[in-house]
Amino acid sequence: MPAVIRPYTPHYVHPPPTTEALDYADLEVIDLSLAKTPEDRKALANQVRNAMRTSGFFYCINHGYTPEQTDRIFDIADVPFARVAPGEKQQYAGKMKEVGSYQGYKPRSYWHIDAGVQDQNEHYNVNRDVTKKPHPEPLRPFLPEIEAFARYNHENVLHPILRLLALGLELPEETFVNIHGYENVGETYVRFMKYYPRSEDEESKTNNVWLKGHTDFGSVTILWSQPVSALQILSPDGAWRWVKHIDNALVINAGDCLEFLSGGFYKATIHRVVQPPEDQRGYTRLGVFYFCIPDDEVKLVPFSESPVLQNQGIIRRFPDEAAPLVEAWRKARTRAYGQSELKKTDQRTEEEIINGVVVKHYN
């Protein structure tokens, strides 16, 4: 067979990992290669359940993607930022406020962080169906690879994790898989994100917080680990702890939709982004994500038939009859994020109301 010729893009070189002694979160490491048989999955489901019930984050290793493939997707991830001119970026800006969708560019300085300071990150979002929207010319040669990457995340990472989460609730394995169809109508997407260093004045006004503590609005977030330390999670003891980089690992966390569907058993995890440690300041931070959201037509009510929920009780964020469809929830969260007037409830917390649900932000 002739060799496949891939379109050229410069190799993206990550900064070196920090050498500072940071207070890292102690997260479970889930070996996805062990999820082959029903018996193996049952054992692994207990590990995932414990992780989601404590820290709400865990690592995935042995997910089947090679380090070389991971390097390639980071090379592609930099294309929308390094190879697309500012004027062309504006042509492909997302319609966050108009239609509640991140598809396309989220420009820098769109979100308000604090004290009049705007964000310094931009991202480019691609629906798993890459034909849904047009794309900047420099990115078009890479669309087949992006689509293959999306499908791999969906079928080889997301679905195995969803099976483990269902088993943790003693539900049939395919319960969550059935409402996360790759071909179904929904907004699950690949995100390429780039953070840029900020001024000393901006750091001072925001206490070095780049993105306030928040929960993701989907079901599961898949983050491809990279070496610039900036992600922190709110630990059960109330302390913010850093997430350590592991080469070619994935960082997994739960979002609002999974919390709603699991009746509060799996909690959406609060996390934030802060200024990197001193030996990594001055670098940009390139990220690759797969944001997973249930199918648009799914109603966000708990799977009350779960024996675990029947035993432990169900925490509802809204009455079942008032529960929104996924489409309404995701659009409302997208329109509001970084744009709403937040109500300060104490020195640490601010709130907004979306679809009748209190959404908290942690400063």
Side-chain angles (χ1 to χ4, degrees), residues 128 147-163 176-177 179-184 187-189 222 224 290-295:
R128 63 192 185 278
E147 186 168 33
F149 177 71
R151 186 177 285 277
Y152 193 91
N153 275 268
H154 208 97
E155 297 178 349
N156 297 81
V157 181
L158 172 63
H159 281 179
I161 289 170
L162 291 177
R163 292 186 182 104
F176 292 132
V177 170
I179 58 171
H180 290 78
Y182 188 82
E183 306 294 343
N184 296 350
E187 189 79 350
T188 294
Y189 58 94
I222 301 169
W224 290 72
Y290 193 63
F291 281 98
C292 310
I293 306 167
D295 303 337

Side-chain angles (χ1 to χ4, degrees), residues 103-134:
Q103 301 310 306
Y105 282 99
K106 195 289 294 175
R108 291 165 72 172
S109 300
Y110 177 76
W111 291 330
H112 176 251
I113 304 302
D114 203 15
V117 176
Q118 305 297 111
D119 72 276
Q120 288 302 324
N121 78 73
E122 62 179 332
H123 43 80
Y124 190 78
N125 305 286
V126 185
N127 190 283
R128 63 192 185 278
D129 177 0
V130 299
T131 65
K132 282 190 82 169
K133 299 278 185 182

Side-chain angles (χ1 to χ4, degrees), residues 32 43 56 80 82 112 119 165 176 221-222 244 246 263 271 274 292 299 319 351 358:
L32 270 190
H112 176 251
D119 72 276
L165 291 168
F176 292 132
T221 298
I222 301 169
K244 187 179 179 67
I246 298 177
H271 53 286
V274 299
C292 310
K299 190 167 186 175
E351 295 179 349
V358 175

Side-chain angles (χ1 to χ4, degrees), residues 73-340:
I73 203 65
F74 274 95
D75 294 347
I76 294 170
D78 199 36
V79 171
F81 313 118
R83 294 181 55 188
V84 180
E88 190 174 4
K89 288 180 182 180
Q90 290 176 6
Q91 296 175 39
Y92 297 94
K95 299 184 184 300
M96 285 78 75
K97 291 177 81 170
E98 298 92 330
V99 299
S101 172
Y102 279 120
Q103 301 310 306
Y105 282 99
K106 195 289 294 175
R108 291 165 72 172
S109 300
Y110 177 76
W111 291 330
H112 176 251
I113 304 302
D114 203 15
V117 176
Q118 305 297 111
D119 72 276
Q120 288 302 324
N121 78 73
E122 62 179 332
H123 43 80
Y124 190 78
N125 305 286
V126 185
N127 190 283
R128 63 192 185 278
D129 177 0
V130 299
T131 65
K132 282 190 82 169
K133 299 278 185 182
H135 302 280
E137 190 278 330
L139 194 63
R140 291 171 198 165
F142 303 97
L143 291 176
E145 291 179 82
I146 295 172
E147 186 168 33
F149 177 71
R151 186 177 285 277
Y152 193 91
N153 275 268
H154 208 97
E155 297 178 349
N156 297 81
V157 181
L158 172 63
H159 281 179
I161 289 170
L162 291 177
R163 292 186 182 104
L164 298 175
L165 291 168
L167 289 172
L169 287 169
E170 298 178 18
L171 290 167
E173 274 194 347
E174 301 301 304
T175 299
F176 292 132
V177 170
N178 289 339
I179 58 171
H180 290 78
Y182 188 82
E183 306 294 343
N184 296 350
V185 177
E187 189 79 350
T188 294
Y189 58 94
V190 174
R191 171 175 292 177
F192 302 139
M193 176 184 281
K194 199 168 192 178
Y195 281 91
Y196 298 85
R198 303 191 313 180
S199 69
E200 289 186 16
D201 182 59
E202 289 172 319
E203 297 293 1
S204 174
K205 286 180 177 177
T206 61
N207 289 320
N208 308 109
V209 173
W210 285 13
L211 206 57
K212 288 180 183 178
H214 64 283
T215 57
D216 294 339
F217 61 78
S219 50
V220 172
T221 298
I222 301 169
L223 164 65
W224 290 72
S225 189
Q226 55 75 47
V228 179
S229 296
L231 177 62
Q232 294 183 334
I233 67 171
L234 187 59
S235 300
D237 63 1
W240 290 103
R241 290 191 169 87
W242 300 80
V243 174
K244 187 179 179 67
H245 168 60
I246 298 177
D247 281 340
N248 205 38
L250 311 178
V251 181
I252 309 296
N253 68 275
D256 296 334
C257 288
L258 185 62
E259 179 172 330
F260 301 155
L261 293 166
S262 70
F265 190 77
Y266 298 128
K267 288 189 167 47
T269 315
I270 300 157
H271 53 286
R272 69 179 184 179
V273 180
V274 299
Q275 184 183 33
E278 192 168 352
D279 61 353
Q280 292 186 318
R281 290 173 194 172
Y283 292 113
T284 55
R285 178 176 180 264
L286 183 66
V288 173
F289 303 77
Y290 193 63
F291 281 98
C292 310
I293 306 167
D295 303 337
D296 272 356
E297 64 182 13
V298 172
K299 190 167 186 175
L300 290 169
V301 296
F303 281 93
S304 55
E305 65 271 29
S306 159
V308 173
L309 296 187
Q310 290 174 8
N311 180 52
Q312 300 216 5
I314 297 174
I315 300 171
R316 287 178 167 85
R317 297 289 294 277
F318 28 60
D320 286 359
E321 62 273 12
L325 297 180
V326 167
E327 182 180 19
W329 175 253
R330 68 169 175 80
K331 285 184 175 181
R333 283 293 309 266
T334 301
R335 287 190 183 105
Y337 192 82
Q339 302 292 303
S340 308

Side-chain angles (χ1 to χ4, degrees), residues 334-352:
T334 301
R335 287 190 183 105
Y337 192 82
Q339 302 292 303
S340 308
E341 287 291 331
L342 302 178
K343 180 182 178 183
K344 194 162 190 172
T345 54
D346 55 44
Q347 285 299 104
R348 196 174 191 181
T349 312
E350 298 167 314
E351 295 179 349
E352 61 182 330

Side-chain angles (χ1 to χ4, degrees), residues 4-25:
V4 176
I5 299 175
R6 301 184 303 186
Y8 171 76
T9 189
H11 178 55
Y12 182 82
V13 179
H14 290 285
T18 182
T19 59
E20 293 192 24
L22 303 179
D23 184 13
Y24 289 113

